[in-house]
Amino acid sequence: MEKGVFLENSHYDVDVFKPKISVTQCFNCHGFDHTKIWCPKKSKICPVCSQAHELSDCLIASANDVSQFKCPNCTVDRCHSALDHEKCPKYQEKFAYVQQLAQYGL
């Protein structure tokens, strides 16, 4: 027996739905669970040095001195940018949580 769906005498192959898992991250403060519109911070926070300025104005980012990077979300192991999702433990923690919610359909 073929797998799929019959609709009006035609057979269609189907795949299991796999939802895209994403973490909501603010473009203003780079925190999680809200967007720029709902951000509680009034000033823009740099994702590289955690100071109140645009990324384009960041001297640390332009020098690409990774040892000076300070993720605004992390308190330990901060030598990464808030945009480096592979190195950010807070992002990884949030991603695992969202993945678990998706797995259980919540």
Side-chain angles (χ1 to χ4, degrees):
M1 183 167 151
E2 290 185 48
K3 292 184 180 182
V5 179
F6 280 96
L7 183 63
E8 296 184 0
N9 296 326
S10 295
H11 179 265
Y12 298 93
D13 292 327
V14 295
D15 290 323
V16 175
F17 175 70
K18 294 178 185 172
K20 181 178 185 261
I21 298 170
S22 63
V23 174
T24 302
Q25 188 170 16
C26 178
F27 286 116
N28 189 53
C29 72
H30 303 284
F32 303 113
D33 299 329
H34 66 276
T35 59
K36 183 178 178 179
I37 294 170
W38 300 104
C39 184
K41 301 217 167 112
K42 301 295 179 206
S43 60
K44 180 103 172 148
I45 303 297
C46 177
V48 171
C49 70
S50 300
Q51 299 298 315
H53 59 252
E54 296 279 341
L55 176 60
S56 58
D57 298 330
C58 184
L59 298 176
I60 293 170
S62 62
N64 201 23
D65 186 359
V66 179
S67 68
Q68 297 296 313
F69 283 16
K70 291 185 177 90
C71 176
N73 297 312
C74 298
T75 53
V76 179
D77 186 26
R78 295 182 71 181
C79 289
H80 59 271
S81 156
L83 305 176
D84 190 348
H85 297 157
E86 291 179 8
K87 291 183 182 173
C88 182
K90 291 290 185 183
Y91 180 88
Q92 292 297 324
E93 180 182 304
K94 189 58 78 172
F95 183 82
Y97 176 72
V98 171
Q99 194 174 29
Q100 189 174 31
L101 289 178
Q103 182 179 4
Y104 294 109
L106 301 175

